[in-house]
Amino acid sequence: MELKWLLYVTLLALGTLAVQAHDMDDDNDGDDVVDIEDDLDDGTEEVEESKPETSTAPPAPKVTYRPPVPTGEVYFAESFDKGTLDGWILSRAKKDDTDDEIAKYDGKWEVQDMKDTKLPGDKGLVLVTRAKHHAISSKLSKPFVFDTKPLIIQYEVNFQNGIECGGAYVKLLSKTPELNLDQFHDKTPYTIMFGPDKCGEDYKLHFIFRHKNPKTGKYEEKHAKRPDADLKTYFTDKKTHLYTLVLNPDNSFEILVDQTVVNSGNLLNDMSPPVNPPREIEDPNDQKPEDWDERPKIPDPDAVKPDDWDEDAPAKIADENAVKPEGWLDHEPEYVADPDAEKPEDWDEDMDGEWEAPQIANPKCETAPGCGTWQRPMIDNPNYKGKWKPPMIDNVNYQGIWKPRKIPNPDFFEDFEPFKMTPFSAVGLELWSMTSDIFFDNFIICTERAVADDWASDGWGLKKAADGAAEPGVVGQMMAAAEERPWLWVVYILTVALPVFLVVLFCCSGKVCLSSGNKLFFFYFPLEEKQKSDADIGSASQEEEEEEEEDDRKPASEVRVHNH
């Protein structure tokens, strides 16, 4: 706030300087400046009448919410605008290997309006509680089978209170005979896990799929590479963000946030661990021979320590050339007892021992180069060599770093169609969070990009438009930014006030400067008008002389009006 007032004071001072500059010009001109205020009253009135009327800013456009409607075939679509959890099943499971106090999935879910919503009537699913396990799920209209069509899953998340530690990812639950949504928990088989997750300063956007080994039948999680984009803003700005995963039959994938690609790749090349194992592996039974030599360098066995090598010579020796500084006080200690100190009244010598005054720096040493016994300073010993070691030479027996031999991988397989994953029949949220009020909205699972884009436009797009309509103008945003970062006031002064001051100073340096009420007017007369007025006063010969003189002079940008 101090910087804000500094800006106001600075602008006031700049205006005062400009007026003073104008007054000084008037004083210097004396009688040369004509008071033509009365002559220009009519002109002033015309100028004032010609000013456009001040118009008020148009009101911000109002964005009306309408629940989104799928524009094509979908496997799942949920906007929560009915205000209920119809179709969703709350888990009553308990998590294994966890204390009983927190093992239950008893975290609360509710359908609510978003905090500070700009779209009345737009509701969403809210994770209400913190520090609890939450699980909720819903069945698809029909199971999704990976064949010749893409998979698109899309939904919105808003971390209304920021996020400390927790996730907002979804799980596409595999279609199995054992699937029981009433007992949905962390070990429930899923096909894909997708969405944001954060703990500490680690900001993640998961894409994990479970791949079935065609030889063993076992499943293994495959994780997409981390995106290069900075994800922090999506977790901290408290805005609604749109998360989209697109999987194509050619094994390519795209991950989008707010309809912008933040990660992409191929299921065969950009997952960890890779979908397909290596053809060869290291033989687990192979062992390094005992005589295998991995040393690239060895001490020279023929090297001999020189006779004059003194291993006992110290690294530092006293400087024999040093001289004790003049005025050194040999008999004065560096510290002395504080003469002003007094023994405390409650000092008990039987309990505390004999009292001694605290030590202070010797006042006599303050002006002397030093006190106490003088000792020569230590310097590096030029004869120091340290412990002798033989030099290193190339090892003629070096065999390199040993590695076990390669053998064919008994578990090798090749799956060129990892896109054909296990079908899934439900979508679920199974989360632990240390932050409450995580807002979810507008889930859709489909196969057509246009359908997902239309759904996003009618849902997330409306939220974005409403937020944009409610945002302050440029000046308001600048003021708000300066409230958070006060140093911006200095930038505003340099970029706004300084140019204004220079313009005002330049204008007021003219010789015709009229004031009317609280308004300031500046008039400039072109060179042709001055010549015409001079011609009316003088004779024809005088006009010719003045024109000749005018040709010799440098043209002026301002013309003074003189009395005659």
Side-chain angles (χ1 to χ4, degrees), residues 5 8 33 37 43 75 129 147 157 167 176 183 190 215 223 247 327 337 341 348 355 400 402 498 535 546:
W5 285 109
Y8 296 155
V33 178
E37 182 175 347
Y75 290 78
T129 48
D147 46 25
V157 177
T176 63
Q183 294 298 312
Y190 69 88
K215 296 192 70 171
H223 296 247
L247 276 177
D348 187 343
W355 182 81
W402 181 86
L498 185 58
E546 288 178 359

Side-chain angles (χ1 to χ4, degrees), residues 125-387:
L125 177 66
V126 178
L127 182 151
V128 178
T129 48
R130 62 182 297 275
K132 287 183 177 293
H133 293 290
H134 305 74
I136 191 170
S137 56
S138 182
K139 280 189 171 294
L140 275 59
S141 59
K142 60 181 178 179
F144 186 94
V145 179
F146 294 87
D147 46 25
T148 59
K149 293 183 179 181
L151 165 67
I152 301 173
I153 175 171
Q154 182 172 273
Y155 68 108
E156 302 168 15
V157 177
N158 187 314
F159 296 106
Q160 300 182 95
N161 298 332
I163 184 69
E164 239 179 271
C165 182
Y169 44 81
V170 299
K171 290 183 177 180
L172 305 182
L173 305 181
S174 301
K175 179 188 176 184
T176 63
E178 299 80 17
L179 179 61
N180 181 4
L181 299 185
D182 186 62
Q183 294 298 312
F184 174 37
H185 57 90
D186 60 320
K187 299 293 193 302
T188 300
Y190 69 88
T191 300
I192 290 175
M193 190 175 98
F194 168 65
D197 188 19
K198 183 253 183 183
C199 205
E201 287 301 312
D202 191 10
Y203 301 88
K204 297 179 181 178
L205 182 52
H206 291 298
F207 165 39
I208 306 170
F209 79 94
R210 295 173 70 246
H211 179 260
K212 184 178 181 180
N213 187 314
K215 296 192 70 171
T216 64
K218 294 182 178 180
Y219 285 88
E220 185 179 28
E221 290 184 349
K222 308 295 181 181
H223 296 247
K225 64 182 182 180
R226 293 180 69 101
D228 296 329
D230 184 5
L231 306 175
K232 183 176 181 179
T233 302
Y234 306 131
F235 293 82
T236 59
D237 62 3
K238 299 183 181 180
K239 294 183 178 180
T240 302
H241 294 288
L242 182 71
Y243 295 89
T244 308
L245 170 66
V246 180
L247 276 177
N248 297 305
D250 64 357
N251 299 318
S252 63
F253 68 86
E254 284 185 331
I255 298 173
L256 302 90
V257 180
D258 298 342
Q259 299 183 321
T260 298
V261 176
V262 297
N263 199 2
S264 62
N266 190 285
L267 299 179
L268 288 172
N269 306 321
D270 299 299
M271 307 301 290
S272 178
V275 169
N276 294 316
R279 289 180 177 274
E280 293 183 325
I281 60 171
E282 295 179 347
D283 185 356
N285 299 318
D286 193 13
Q287 295 183 348
K288 182 174 69 172
E290 294 182 359
D291 60 349
W292 189 276
D293 196 340
E294 294 182 325
R295 302 171 300 165
K297 298 279 187 179
I298 60 172
D300 185 356
D302 299 326
V304 179
K305 182 175 72 172
D307 294 336
D308 60 349
W309 191 283
D310 186 0
E311 292 183 342
D312 299 325
K316 297 282 187 178
I317 59 175
D319 185 2
E320 297 298 333
N321 297 323
V323 178
K324 182 173 68 174
E326 186 177 351
W328 189 278
L329 304 179
D330 295 87
H331 303 293
E332 289 289 342
E334 292 186 47
Y335 295 93
V336 296
D338 185 357
D340 299 327
E342 296 181 359
K343 183 173 71 173
E345 294 181 359
D346 59 349
W347 187 274
D348 187 343
E349 293 192 354
D350 293 333
M351 297 291 295
D352 304 323
E354 184 180 356
W355 182 81
E356 294 181 357
Q359 298 286 301
I360 62 172
N362 190 341
K364 296 181 180 179
C365 299
E366 293 181 358
T367 57
C371 290
T373 303
W374 179 79
Q375 295 180 345
R376 298 179 184 277
M378 303 298 287
I379 61 173
D380 293 334
N381 183 0
N383 297 320
Y384 172 74
K385 296 183 179 179
K387 186 174 180 61

